[in-house]
Amino acid sequence: MTTELYRLTATEVLTKVKAGEVSIEDYASSLLKRIEARDDAVQAWAYLDPAYVIEQAKALDAIPESERGPLHGVAIAVKDVIFTKDMPTQFNSPVYTNNAPKVDAGSIMVLRQAGALILGKTTTTEFAATTVGPKTRNPHDSERTPGGSSSGSGAAVGDFQAPVGLGTQTGGSTIRPGSYNGIYAFKPTWNAITREGQKIYSLILDTLGLYARSVDDLELLADTFMVFDDVPAPKNFSVKGAKFAILKTMVWPNAGPGTSTAMDKATSLLRERGAEVEEIAFPDHLNDLPAWHATVLASEGRTAFLPEYAVAKDKISKQLVGHVENSDKISRKAQLEAFDKISAARPVVDDILGKYDAVITPSVPDEAPLGIATTGNASFCLIWTALHTPVVNVPGFKGDNGMPIGLSLVAPRYHDRRLLAVSKKVGEVFEKEGGWKSSV
């Protein structure tokens, strides 16, 4: 039994631990054996100390049942841009090699207090800000990227090396790896989860994201982070009678055959189960959303990377140097216009999204591309990051090469829990009938 414990979801682990069927030490040992067996192929970890993992597990086993938290023993993979007081935080940058601040990020403080086992730090692109891939490979095909910038967290969860993981998103850094690795990914409403103690690229865009292999696990984490809607999510949502919209967005020309097929199949599957599905479009005045996002990103980067530029300009990428030096020649007037136009767009889009149980839109152009030098195209994600809406990548479909493709479900801001409830039922359909199954 121990050798298969690594395949459990977080919710399943909690059930077994509460029933006294499994110790945290045995569970942690199973995960470590899985990591050891698969690390050469996947390389998801920037830092992992097996002895310390077991030490944490033993300490958790020693806690009396009456004092255990809601995540007691759940192992969590943490993206290496999030501070952990007992592990290095290196941002995949030579500027911070062996950097070990003795403080936890706000998210880690919450997770530890809930009883989570912090498994290790996962790979990221440089400062979670570039598209140059780290060493990590897609668990379903080691010749392909796992996506980025949350490369290691997505790959670790997709490869059963951790049940859940933390990522971040400024463009598409949570949702895209979710699609490429065949798992659920949740980008909540902007700032619904604390960002204190993580490297910031853009205050206006950065969002802490979550990975899991089930929506139940995402809901478990949402409970822990107190992500709640004004109106409680439906307990018995049904696809039958539900109302969905298909929104291809202004970047649809980027879509490849895999995503195009997935969108068509999703529409058919939902209609077959009694849902109403219609196709909608953004109003024309929002067609420049991608350009506004790019302006905000570059403008915020001027501030974010000035410290590293000041002390080690020669050790950071040319892209980040360009942000600081404003190589795109973005005026403050253009910066303000982009900020203000995106702000004005948010309530407009909330109103559009609010007419449906969820809006379905591409997560990625297609399956994960070959090569690990770059992390893929984020064009379908960045719109929603700018709009601050919650997004869930739902897996289930596949591309021409048999690799996973997910689709995004989107809802208005602060409708996170309703979106998760809808995603759970939609996910049951997509996973059963979409055509892709994990073989790892």
Side-chain angles (χ1 to χ4, degrees):
M1 181 180 69
T2 301
T3 57
E4 295 298 322
L5 291 178
Y6 66 84
R7 289 194 171 269
L8 299 176
T9 66
T11 306
E12 290 168 343
V13 168
L14 284 172
T15 299
K16 287 185 176 295
V17 169
K18 287 177 181 177
E21 298 174 10
V22 169
S23 71
I24 307 304
E25 183 178 358
D26 283 347
Y27 173 55
S29 296
S30 180
L31 288 170
L32 291 172
K33 288 177 182 176
R34 173 65 174 179
I35 293 167
E36 182 180 14
R38 293 283 292 167
D39 192 50
D40 285 347
V42 181
Q43 301 181 51
W45 301 93
Y47 177 87
L48 187 140
D49 180 351
Y52 183 54
V53 171
I54 296 301
E55 180 184 329
Q56 289 184 79
K58 288 180 176 179
L60 287 164
D61 279 331
I63 296 174
E65 288 187 27
S66 61
E67 298 175 18
R68 294 180 175 184
L71 294 182
H72 184 78
V74 171
I76 297 184
V78 178
K79 184 176 181 178
D80 195 29
V81 294
I82 301 169
F83 285 6
T84 43
K85 65 184 179 183
D86 48 4
M87 302 174 188
T89 303
Q90 302 175 90
F91 312 109
N92 191 20
S93 167
V95 180
Y96 291 94
T97 300
N98 297 322
N99 178 61
K102 301 299 182 183
V103 63
D104 276 337
S107 56
I108 303 301
M109 292 171 67
V110 172
L111 293 170
R112 284 197 207 271
Q113 185 61 28
L117 189 162
I118 307 303
L119 196 56
K121 307 299 285 291
T122 53
T123 61
T124 175
T125 65
E126 182 185 4
F127 297 113
T130 73
T131 57
V132 178
K135 63 183 180 179
T136 310
R137 299 172 179 272
N138 193 300
H140 308 292
D141 181 348
S142 61
E143 298 302 314
R144 296 177 185 269
T145 179
S149 61
S150 307
S151 309
S153 288
V157 174
D159 196 52
F160 297 89
Q161 297 183 28
V164 292
L166 301 187
T168 63
Q169 181 157 308
T170 312
S173 294
T174 295
I175 297 300
R176 177 178 43 176
S179 179
Y180 285 173
N181 292 287
I183 57 176
Y184 288 91
F186 176 39
K187 185 205 79 66
T189 299
W190 175 81
N191 209 35
I193 299 176
T194 176
R195 300 170 297 164
E196 182 181 4
Q198 67 190 56
K199 179 61 178 176
I200 294 296
Y201 186 173
S202 166
L203 277 170
I204 291 174
L205 300 172
D206 284 9
T207 311
L208 188 93
L210 308 172
Y211 291 114
R213 295 189 299 272
S214 75
V215 175
D216 285 342
D217 286 5
L218 293 178
E219 291 179 324
L220 183 68
L221 292 171
D223 284 345
T224 302
F225 285 116
M226 299 184 70
V227 178
F228 300 124
D229 302 350
D230 285 343
V231 178
K235 293 182 182 294
N236 297 300
F237 176 80
S238 173
V239 169
K240 184 176 181 179
K243 188 175 182 180
F244 297 95
I246 294 289
L247 178 56
K248 293 179 176 177
T249 80
M250 70 289 290
V251 291
W252 181 249
N254 290 324
T259 286
S260 180
T261 300
M263 292 280 279
D264 289 343
K265 191 164 189 177
T267 301
S268 297
L269 289 172
L270 293 173
R271 284 176 175 162
E272 288 168 5
R273 283 155 181 79
E276 178 183 341
V277 185
E278 64 176 289
E279 185 167 344
I280 61 172
F282 276 129
D284 288 344
H285 75 276
L286 299 184
N287 283 341
D288 287 333
L289 266 168
W292 300 337
H293 175 277
T295 296
V296 169
L297 199 66
S299 302
E300 296 269 270
R302 292 173 68 177
T303 305
F305 301 110
L306 178 59
E308 290 77 22
Y309 178 94
V311 302
K313 176 183 175 181
D314 60 326
K315 293 184 178 181
I316 63 175
S317 70
K318 291 181 180 179
Q319 175 189 334
L320 305 185
V321 170
H323 281 338
V324 177
E325 296 180 348
N326 193 23
S327 60
D328 293 331
K329 307 301 181 186
I330 296 171
S331 67
R332 293 301 188 190
K333 179 181 178 182
Q335 179 182 344
L336 288 171
E337 286 179 351
F339 285 1
D340 292 346
K341 286 177 178 178
I342 292 174
S343 294
R346 290 179 187 130
V348 173
V349 173
D350 281 345
D351 185 59
I352 294 169
L353 300 176
K355 294 178 172 65
Y356 305 93
D357 289 294
V359 169
I360 302 167
T361 191
S363 293
V364 291
D366 214 312
E367 60 189 356
L370 283 166
I372 63 168
T374 62
T375 56
N377 184 320
S379 56
F380 284 108
C381 305
L382 54 85
I383 302 162
W384 307 108
T385 309
L387 292 168
H388 290 173
T389 59
V391 183
V392 176
N393 175 75
V394 178
F397 303 98
K398 65 178 179 179
D400 290 344
N401 297 287
M403 295 292 289
I405 295 176
L407 295 177
S408 286
L409 270 62
V410 189
R413 289 173 294 173
Y414 291 113
H415 287 65
D416 300 70
R417 298 308 295 263
R418 178 174 178 81
L419 181 62
L420 287 172
V422 174
S423 297
K424 181 176 181 178
K425 293 301 182 181
V426 171
E428 290 173 2
V429 175
F430 289 0
E431 287 194 81
K432 182 179 180 182
E433 303 289 345
W436 180 80
K437 303 292 182 185
S438 175
S439 59
V440 298

